[in-house]
Amino acid sequence: MNTQILLLRGVMPTGKNKVLMAPLRAALEAAGLRDVRTYIQSGNTIVSTELEQPELEQLVHHAIKDKLGGDIQVIARTPAYFMQVMANNPFKYRSPSQLYFTLLRSPADSTLLQAFHALEHAPDQVRVIGDIAYIVCASRYRDLKANNNFIERKLKVVATTRNFNTMSKLIALSTGTDGAHPRQHPVNSRPRTNM
C-alpha cells in the first residue's frame, strides 16, 4: 500500500460541486481505498492504495460521481511529490501567507507555456516549473489575475490550487509528522483556498 494525496478541484460546501467530507470518506472506503482521511472541507484527502496515479484519479472521480453526484476533477500525488514541490519553490524567501501552488494534471504544452510566461503578472509573480505554477500573491488571492481558472484557460490543462499552509499540513498528515491521525481535521484559521 502506498500513501497518496488527492486534491479535488472546485469542491464547495454548497452548490453543484457540493461534496461533504464524511460522505466522501465513506464513498472512497466503499471503493476500496484504505486509511481515508480528509483535511478541512475543501477536498483534500489522504488514502492508502496500490493503484497508480491515473487509475486512482479515475476511481475517485467515478466514486464521487456515482455516490455523491458531483462531476469533480481529481489530481493524485504522493507525499514525496509534495515535498519536492516545496523544496523546488523559487519564492522561498517570500512570506508563506503570500504563497500559492497550482498543481497541473500534466505539464503544459511548451508553446502555451511560453505565451503564458510572456504575460504581465505584476504586482504578483508566477512561475511554472513542470506541472506546478508557483505564485506569489501581492495582496489577496481573489484579486490575483493568474488565478486557477486563468491558468487552466491559458495552459489548457486541469489545475487545482492550494495555499502554503494546506500544502504543509498535507505533507505532515501524509507522512505522520503532525503528531495526530484523526479522520477529519478542523478548519484552520486561514481562509479556505481550493480551486
Side-chain angles (χ1 to χ4, degrees), residues 34-99:
R34 306 281 299 276
D35 303 321
V36 179
R37 292 172 284 157
T38 54
Y39 173 62
I40 62 179
Q41 294 292 318
S42 52
N44 306 294
T45 309
I46 300 164
V47 302
S48 295
T49 181
E50 294 177 352
L51 296 175
E52 296 297 324
Q53 179 185 326
E55 293 88 359
L56 178 59
E57 290 173 347
Q58 286 187 357
L59 175 78
V60 173
H61 175 81
H62 290 304
I64 293 171
K65 193 169 187 178
D66 294 344
K67 300 287 187 182
L68 307 175
D71 189 10
I72 305 292
Q73 296 294 327
V74 180
I75 295 179
R77 297 289 187 268
T78 64
Y81 170 91
F82 269 62
M83 288 187 278
Q84 195 64 46
V85 166
M86 299 297 258
N88 291 342
N89 179 13
F91 302 120
K92 288 189 186 80
Y93 60 92
R94 301 304 295 259
S95 167
S97 66
Q98 294 181 291
L99 298 178

Side-chain angles (χ1 to χ4, degrees), residues 20-170:
L20 299 179
M21 297 302 102
L24 173 63
R25 289 193 299 273
L28 297 186
E29 287 168 354
L33 301 179
R34 306 281 299 276
D35 303 321
V36 179
R37 292 172 284 157
T38 54
Y39 173 62
I40 62 179
Q41 294 292 318
S42 52
N44 306 294
T45 309
I46 300 164
V47 302
S48 295
T49 181
E50 294 177 352
L51 296 175
E52 296 297 324
Q53 179 185 326
E55 293 88 359
L56 178 59
E57 290 173 347
Q58 286 187 357
L59 175 78
V60 173
H61 175 81
H62 290 304
I64 293 171
K65 193 169 187 178
D66 294 344
K67 300 287 187 182
L68 307 175
D71 189 10
I72 305 292
Q73 296 294 327
V74 180
I75 295 179
R77 297 289 187 268
T78 64
Y81 170 91
F82 269 62
M83 288 187 278
Q84 195 64 46
V85 166
M86 299 297 258
N88 291 342
N89 179 13
F91 302 120
K92 288 189 186 80
Y93 60 92
R94 301 304 295 259
S95 167
S97 66
Q98 294 181 291
L99 298 178
Y100 293 83
F101 305 82
T102 298
L103 289 76
L104 312 179
R105 171 163 286 161
S106 59
D109 173 81
S110 59
T111 303
L112 294 176
L113 187 57
Q114 186 175 6
F116 178 81
H117 278 146
L119 298 172
E120 178 58 58
H121 298 292
D124 307 302
Q125 298 179 64
V126 183
R127 187 176 306 167
V128 180
I129 301 174
D131 58 0
I132 289 286
Y134 293 92
I135 299 167
V136 177
C137 187
S139 56
R140 297 173 298 183
Y141 187 86
R142 66 183 179 194
D143 297 329
L144 178 70
K145 179 181 177 183
N147 61 29
N148 200 90
N149 290 338
F150 181 87
I151 289 173
E152 284 186 323
R153 221 168 34 244
K154 293 296 183 183
L155 298 183
K156 300 190 186 313
V157 62
V158 171
T160 189
T161 301
R162 299 295 186 274
N163 64 27
F164 180 91
N165 283 358
T166 298
M167 293 286 286
S168 299
K169 188 65 175 180
L170 288 172

Side-chain angles (χ1 to χ4, degrees), residues 10-15 17-21 41-42 192:
V11 166
M12 299 293 173
T14 59
N17 283 343
K18 178 180 178 180
V19 175
L20 299 179
M21 297 302 102
Q41 294 292 318
S42 52
R192 183 175 60 80

